[in-house]
Amino acid sequence: MKVIHVTDTHLVAAGKMLHGLDPLERLRLCFEDITAHHSDADLCVLTGDLTDTGQTDAYVLLKELLTTLPMPTSLMLGNHDHRQRFCDVFINTSRDSNGFVQWSQTTSEGVLLFLDTNEPGTDEGVYCEQRHEWLREQLAKYNDRPVYVFMHHPPFDIGIPDMDALRLRDCETFAQTLAGHNNIRHLFFGHVHRPISGQWQGISFSALHGTNHQVPLLLNKDPDNGVFAFCQEEPLYGVALIANGMTTVHLQPFLSRQPVYYERYE
Ligand SMILES: [Fe+2]
């Protein structure tokens, strides 16, 4: 199974710039590269911050652009998104019984769980008791199958103070919910605008740059009063190859794709 991971697209109104960059044009180039090189992918997942301020017209732009992708897509919410405006545009989106944009999908390689960590009024991630209850049910239901989790906010510190101040709130409860489920194979997340991989309570994880602006690797910055550090490192998309319980995540810098050449080893 091949899953494309795109995150933090931060779309704004057509023609508008963000951080001096054009998010719509960059996402168009991203989708163009994915279509050219990975049209055989089973799924493309966008792990939140689809728009920068949750505007309806930005969701409409996204909906139009998604028609250029040849594979099915899964759209998730981030802290910059607006749940109701998103649902008004993507009227067929999956929601749980409480209205959160989270669902499960069974595949040949296991079950994909898409979690909703958006909470109006804060940039931190929130996973409330209602959402925990849904997750517990899903983990119990799919206890005998490999599970892959997708979410916007990381449920742990990554060592960058700016981002750690805005990670998932109440990580301990989330960690407890996942603890003991040895069938959780990998955790994909966005939010941090950086390529990161590692392991957390026995679960491998990966994140990547967004398609527009990025967060610099500043490990000692004070996360002071809303002043955040940004940079314009290369945007990426991820290509996850999942087979027989093994996950391999490749990262592709699509704006600087170089010509391939071949040489015979003598
Ligand atoms: Fe973001």
Side-chain angles (χ1 to χ4, degrees), residues 190-228:
H191 188 56
V192 297
H193 293 238
R194 285 216 63 80
I196 300 174
S197 59
Q199 192 186 68
W200 169 71
Q201 57 180 33
I203 303 167
S204 62
F205 63 79
S206 59
L208 66 163
H209 277 151
T211 54
N212 197 63
H213 54 287
Q214 318 305 348
V215 167
L217 182 57
L218 294 179
L219 301 176
N220 299 309
K221 177 184 171 294
D222 280 340
D224 45 12
N225 296 340
V227 179
F228 285 89

Side-chain angles (χ1 to χ4, degrees), residues 117-133:
T117 57
N118 169 281
E119 183 77 4
T122 179
D123 284 319
E124 290 177 77
V126 170
Y127 212 62
C128 61
E129 184 47 38
Q130 285 180 321
R131 283 174 268 193
H132 268 291
E133 189 54 36

